[in-house]
Structures are given as structure tokens and as C-alpha cells.
Amino acid sequence: GNGICKGGRKFSCEVTISVIDLMDPSDLVFTVRNTERRRKLRERLRTKENAFDISNAALFACDREGHFTEANNAFLEMFGLEDAEAARKLVFTDLIDDDPLPSDFKKALNGESSTVGIVAETEGEGREEIEVKLGPNRIGSRTVGVVGSILKV
């Protein structure tokens, strides 16, 4: 619904109604919750998701065990994967096993970020210089996995 503040400003809200048995068994409690903050956060998240999807850099996220949880279109294209579900069936070292990246993955789980330039062998294109960035994926202070980007230099 829409609420109105004392000053007359409208705001987006949720209204819940509950029956409460205090003085009279038919008493009702109305709860009004402002949802503007949640809506703005959802819009910001959508914006970041759109940027993630259209980036020219191959972007990904892995859980603590190395399983891919997210991969953008550039990542899927770089590794010849059909869709994000195909990526979720793989682990980090299945696709990215050049030294020192597996050990940098472990460092990212311990909170360190790294940037590594490597020369990779590519199918049909020969050798290619790429830059790989890895960092911790945190929720609050807890590291839940690793995020990364791969960019052709």
C-alpha cells in the first residue's frame, strides 16, 4: 500500500493485520512497515546484476569448496559453456588451474585479494595474456567463497 507521513509525504508500505486477544477477543493489531528501503536495495541489486551480466570481463563467484555459483555471459563464452547451470557443475580448478591461481583461491578464502597476470593457451587463438583477480566473497565478516574476474589484456 501507500502510507502518508505526518508531513504529507507518501511512502510505500506493507500493512499486516492480526487478531490479538487482550481485552476483547476481536481486537486487531495493524502493523505498517515502510518498504522504500527494501525497494531501493532491490533496485540497486538489479543494477549490479545487469552490470555483472553485460561486463566484458569474465566474472564469477564460487563457494568455499570451489563450485561456481555465478558466472556472467563473458565467463560462459570464454570457457565455451552453454549456460550458468553448466558452470555450476564445475569447480574452480576444472577451468582455472594455472599456477598460482589455485593457491590464490585459498588465500582469498582467508581474506586476501590478488591480481595475477598469466599467459594462457587458448583453443584456436594460441597464447593470450590475461589478468585474473580473486578476492573473498563476504557476507558481513564471514567469507562464504571467492569472487573473481578474468580480463584479456
Side-chain angles (χ1 to χ4, degrees):
N2 289 313
I4 300 176
C5 296
K6 287 182 183 178
R9 185 180 67 84
K10 288 185 178 181
F11 65 94
S12 176
C13 66
E14 292 177 341
V15 179
T16 57
I17 305 169
S18 304
V19 176
I20 188 168
D21 189 7
L22 288 175
M23 304 283 271
D24 184 347
S26 60
D27 286 342
L28 298 175
V29 173
F30 291 81
T31 306
V32 178
R33 179 177 300 140
N34 186 333
T35 59
E36 285 183 346
R37 182 172 177 255
R38 186 177 347 151
R39 183 181 51 80
K40 287 178 184 175
L41 286 172
R42 196 170 28 244
E43 286 173 5
R44 284 186 14 219
L45 179 60
R46 257 190 232 113
T47 299
K48 290 179 180 181
E49 286 175 351
N50 290 336
F52 178 85
D53 286 336
I54 67 161
S55 175
N56 287 331
L59 305 175
F60 63 91
C62 295
D63 63 15
R64 293 188 64 81
E65 288 75 39
H67 294 96
F68 291 101
T69 57
E70 297 294 332
N72 73 348
N73 293 329
F75 183 91
L76 299 175
E77 188 178 303
M78 180 179 277
F79 290 101
L81 299 170
E82 186 175 318
D83 55 23
E85 281 306 311
R88 288 185 186 101
K89 295 175 183 174
L90 303 169
V91 295
F92 182 81
T93 53
D94 289 341
L95 299 178
I96 308 167
D97 62 351
D98 301 290
D99 282 330
L101 297 172
S103 62
D104 283 358
F105 185 93
K106 292 175 185 172
K107 289 178 184 178
L109 289 174
N110 290 319
E112 293 181 45
S113 294
S114 64
T115 302
V116 176
I118 60 173
V119 176
E121 295 291 332
T122 58
E123 291 181 24
E125 296 179 28
R127 299 167 62 90
E128 201 167 52
E129 218 176 305
I130 60 172
E131 180 181 85
V132 181
K133 291 185 178 191
L134 299 176
N137 186 14
R138 292 192 176 113
I139 296 178
S141 61
R142 188 171 58 102
T143 300
V144 296
V146 172
V147 293
S149 69
I150 305 170
L151 186 62
K152 295 178 184 179
V153 182

